[in-house]
Each structure stands twice: as C-alpha cells, then as structure tokens.
Amino acid sequence: MALILEERANLTVDQNDNQLVIFFKDFFKVILVIIGILMVLRFSFHKNIGSLLTGLSIVGAAIALATRESMENLIASFIIFFDKPFVTGDLVKVNNFTGHIERIGLRSTRIRTTDKTYITVPNKQMVDTIVDNITLRVQRKAELRLELGLSATSQQLRELMPAIKAILQKPEIENTSVYLMDTGKNAHIVAVDYFTTMQQSIDEFNSLREIVNLEIIDLLEKSGIELAAANTDIIIKSNR
C-alpha cells in the first residue's frame, strides 16, 4: 500500500504529498511494530494485554523522561509536518549549512549540502533554530561595498552614482540601490545593492555579478578614482 502511494506521489509536481507518504510510513511502521509485539504476547504467551498496557503506561512514562530528547524530536517532526516551514526538495540554510531537504523523518531531517555532503539535523533543532528557506525567496540579492580613496572629489562621487546605476540597467536586474553609505578617515564607502529574479540559476547569478563587477572596475579606471586599498603611501609630517 505504501509503495503504491509513494509511486502516485512521485507522479505529482508538489512535494507535499511525498513528505506525507514518507512521514506516515515511518510513523505507522512504529505503530505496527508495537501492535505486533502486543499480539505475540497475547496469543503466543497468553498475556493479559489490558494489565500489560497499564504497566506499560507507567514504564512508558519513565522511558519518556529518560528519552526526553527523542520525544522532543518526535514532537518537532509533527510541528514540521503540519506547520510546513519547509518540504522535501526545498533549498534551505541552517546552522551555516546550505542544502536541499532530502528526507524528513520522525527523529531528524536529512540535508544534501551544496558541498555534496549529507548531514542529519535533529528535528528539534530544525524547529528551534532560524531556518532560511531559500526556495521561498522572491529575489536574489547581490551587494557590493566600494571603499574609495579619499582623493576622490565630491564631484567625482556625484558623477559616479548615476554611472553605476546605468551599469545596473540590465534585464535580469529588478531593483537597485546605489548611495554614498559612509565616509571617514580611511575611505568613502559606496553601497551597491541589486536584486535579480529567482528564476536564474546560481551559475547565471554569479556570472551576472562578475559582469557588473568588471564594468564597475572599468568605470572607476575611466573616472580616475582609486580604491582606498590602492593608496599605500605613508606621509610623515614634521612640526618644526
């Protein structure tokens, strides 16, 4: 029966039904094992199941206290299933790991990371920690912080902002933000943020970032503006 449901779930695009089959397959497997043990005790050893269940309830309470962490993971698995912060197939970031959800079990969630490793995260941790569901993002964000040398004049900076905005006028880029974020004793800092569509693959996104970066470098060279790190001169003043 489980195999038939799994085959039918694989025919649909939505991954929620796949998650449903996997979750309840594990859950009912545990229930069937418990029922099987009780049936063996009843018919093979002629034990009174009623009194046995009463004794098991007391023993179960003691076991639950001893295995509190496992019970918490079990409860967390139900929270994940009904709340659906993520489903099988989603790309998520959790505890500095980024990867696709491959399986949500009764005790843990299995993730195939972008480094091609396979990690197991307890469900309680998946519920208690902050999980960034990258699949549900509506845009990709790229950000660049230009630390420009103090030799750049205010007029050069005024001309630089619209020139960078012109570079960002590309079909793949949906929103942009360019402004002089800060200035100080070390550098003028220009913030460049732009957002692209999530339909892009990660390779296309990285390729776009490379193109934008190179065009901004060309612009700085033509404008005669140096990066702050490029100026390494040491000036010593004497007060004689």
Side-chain angles (χ1 to χ4, degrees):
M1 183 65 179
L3 292 175
I4 295 174
L5 291 175
E6 190 171 357
E7 287 178 1
R8 290 185 177 180
N10 290 331
L11 296 176
T12 62
V13 178
D14 190 2
Q15 291 295 319
N16 288 330
D17 46 5
N18 297 70
Q19 181 176 329
L20 175 68
V21 171
I22 294 172
F23 181 85
F24 279 105
K25 186 169 67 174
D26 291 343
F27 180 75
F28 285 119
K29 190 183 298 182
V30 174
I31 298 298
L32 289 175
V33 169
I34 294 174
I35 294 175
I37 292 174
L38 292 175
M39 291 297 100
V40 170
L41 292 174
R42 173 67 179 87
F43 295 105
S44 297
F45 296 96
H46 306 288
K47 298 290 184 180
N48 187 346
I49 296 180
S51 60
L52 184 62
L53 288 175
T54 303
L56 284 176
S57 63
I58 300 173
V59 175
I63 294 175
L65 291 174
T67 59
R68 185 178 65 180
E69 186 174 347
S70 296
M71 292 299 296
E72 289 175 345
N73 286 324
L74 178 61
I75 294 171
S77 68
F78 281 96
I79 294 174
I80 292 173
F81 175 74
F82 289 108
D83 193 41
K84 291 184 175 62
F86 50 82
V87 296
T88 304
D90 280 357
L91 178 64
V92 301
K93 182 177 181 181
V94 56
N95 293 340
N96 296 322
F97 289 99
T98 301
H100 287 88
I101 302 290
E102 287 201 354
R103 182 183 176 88
I104 303 172
L106 292 177
R107 193 195 70 83
S108 61
T109 297
R110 284 71 180 275
I111 301 175
R112 179 72 63 182
T113 70
T114 52
D115 296 328
K116 305 307 178 184
T117 58
Y118 192 60
I119 63 174
T120 300
V121 184
N123 284 334
K124 182 179 183 298
Q125 193 170 342
M126 294 294 291
V127 170
D128 291 343
T129 193
I130 297 175
V131 177
D132 181 5
N133 193 329
I134 299 174
T135 299
L136 297 182
R137 290 183 184 179
V138 294
Q139 291 177 317
R140 295 185 190 273
K141 180 183 180 182
E143 57 182 41
L144 179 64
R145 298 295 176 262
L146 296 175
E147 297 185 6
L148 307 178
L150 295 177
S151 60
T153 66
S154 59
Q155 183 60 33
Q156 285 178 311
L157 295 176
R158 287 192 184 95
E159 294 173 355
L160 180 66
M161 307 299 170
I164 294 178
K165 291 179 181 178
I167 289 175
L168 299 179
Q169 296 302 311
K170 301 183 185 302
E172 304 91 339
I173 298 177
E174 298 181 339
N175 303 101
T176 63
S177 175
V178 181
Y179 62 98
L180 182 63
M181 185 174 70
D182 200 1
T183 186
K185 63 179 181 180
N186 296 321
H188 303 303
I189 301 176
V190 175
V192 181
D193 299 329
Y194 54 96
F195 297 85
T196 70
T197 174
M198 279 299 296
Q199 277 66 40
Q200 275 188 324
S201 68
I202 190 63
D203 290 335
E204 292 171 337
F205 177 70
N206 289 333
S207 178
L208 175 64
R209 292 182 66 180
E210 180 180 343
I211 292 171
V212 170
N213 290 341
L214 289 173
E215 290 184 4
I216 290 177
I217 291 173
D218 289 339
L219 174 63
L220 293 176
E221 290 175 351
K222 292 176 182 177
S223 303
I225 300 175
E226 290 186 342
L227 295 173
N231 187 0
T232 57
D233 295 337
I234 299 175
I235 300 175
I236 301 176
K237 294 183 178 179
S238 176
N239 294 326
R240 288 183 180 179

